[in-house]
Structures are given as C-alpha cells and as structure tokens.
Amino acid sequence: MLFRSVKAFVADILSLPYRLPRTRVMIPVLANEFIEGGSSAEKIKTSLDRRVQEFAIKSLQSQIRQLKTQNVNDAAALVLETKTGRVVAYVGNIGAGFASAAQVDGVKMRRQAGSTIKPFVYATAFERKILEPNSLIEDSPAEIGLPGGKVYHPKNYDFIFRGL
C-alpha cells in the first residue's frame, strides 16, 4: 500500500513541468565576450571584485527604479581602481527585467555623453574664468554649421528651451 502511494507521488512530481535553477550571472554582457572570444576555460581570471560588482548592479537597479517615471530605462557603469586602473566592476546594463535593451553593452556603446560631461565643462569654464558662479547661460535654439553645408540643431532632451 505504501509503495503505491510513493509511486503515485513520484509519478505526480515527474508529470509536473520543471525548471532547472539558473545560475546567477554577474556579468552577462562581458561573459558573452569570453564565450564569443573562443575561451573554453571553465574559470576565467579577471580583476573584477564580486562585492563591487554586486554593489554596482544593485545601485544602478535602485537608481533606475527611482527614475522610471522620468523615462530612464537603462544604465551602465565601469568602475576602476584609482591606484592601478584595474577594472573592479563592469556593468554593461542592469539586466533582464530592468533594462529596455538587456543585451546592449552600455559601457562600450557609442552614444552622446549628454549631461554627464556638464560638471567637467562648467568646472573648466570656472577655472579658465570664462564663467563665474553668477553667470547666466542662454538655453535657446542654435544652428551649428557642419562640413558639407549641413546644419546641426541641438535640442534638449525634453525639446524645451529655457532662455537665460
């Protein structure tokens, strides 16, 4: 009698759909490069620091959750050790379920720097006395001539110009 109930239990379990647990991938975009690069080694030595990598991923995911309402969907980070220049974290994107383009390597992607360079531009302008902290900057439509007679019309992210 007991044998039949165990047998029925096993039959029930085996009839259910199953999923193998997926191993956690800390560097999915970078891992693809190792595979595509022809490496068949099971272990690959890198300078990545697991704690910094996890912190970078969690931090970016948290930021994206906070910025979702502002139409921010993707993020990437490259963290270097200042003394050696070693790469200690490489987050090409924030992963499936978060990123709108989970297979895109945002670290290597060529794109506009946008507002990320503004602090450096302003700091340089202050150092060279081009601007002072109380300077007004005009935000208005502009036309920039390019080679071949083309004209570039820069726009703000929200397409609104704010004047002075």
Side-chain angles (χ1 to χ4, degrees):
M1 203 57 107
L2 180 63
F3 181 74
R4 283 186 175 197
S5 63
V6 170
K7 190 174 182 179
F9 173 75
V10 170
D12 287 345
I13 294 297
L14 292 177
S15 69
L16 296 173
Y18 66 95
R19 279 170 77 166
L20 295 174
R22 184 177 174 187
T23 57
R24 187 168 58 163
V25 179
M26 295 293 297
I27 49 169
V29 174
L30 200 54
N32 288 338
E33 283 202 21
F34 291 130
I35 293 167
E36 290 170 11
S39 175
S40 61
E42 288 187 26
K43 290 188 178 183
I44 298 169
K45 189 174 181 176
T46 73
S47 60
L48 297 176
D49 180 316
R50 182 180 190 92
R51 292 171 298 143
V52 179
Q53 182 76 15
E54 286 178 342
F55 178 77
I57 292 168
K58 288 177 182 172
S59 297
L60 290 175
Q61 288 174 343
S62 173
Q63 286 296 309
I64 290 299
R65 275 193 291 275
Q66 292 176 24
L67 296 170
K68 243 344 178 196
T69 60
Q70 297 176 42
N71 200 27
V72 178
N73 301 303
D74 296 288
L78 178 67
V79 182
L80 305 175
E81 185 178 71
T82 55
K83 286 183 181 178
T84 64
R86 290 181 328 130
V87 175
V88 293
Y90 188 108
V91 184
N93 64 61
I94 54 175
F98 286 92
S100 64
Q103 298 305 315
V104 174
D105 185 346
V107 172
K108 288 184 175 179
M109 180 62 64
R110 291 180 182 223
R111 62 197 179 282
Q112 283 187 304
S115 296
T116 58
I117 64 169
K118 285 181 184 174
F120 303 103
V121 171
Y122 288 125
T124 303
F126 291 149
E127 284 175 3
R128 295 183 181 175
K129 307 273 190 249
I130 298 168
L131 290 176
E132 295 179 1
N134 63 347
S135 296
L136 295 176
I137 300 173
E138 187 173 346
D139 180 28
S140 60
E143 293 184 357
I144 301 170
L146 299 173
K150 294 183 180 183
V151 178
Y152 171 58
H153 299 275
K155 294 177 179 60
N156 292 327
Y157 178 77
D158 60 3
F159 303 105
I160 297 171
F161 294 100
R162 290 172 176 77
L164 285 179

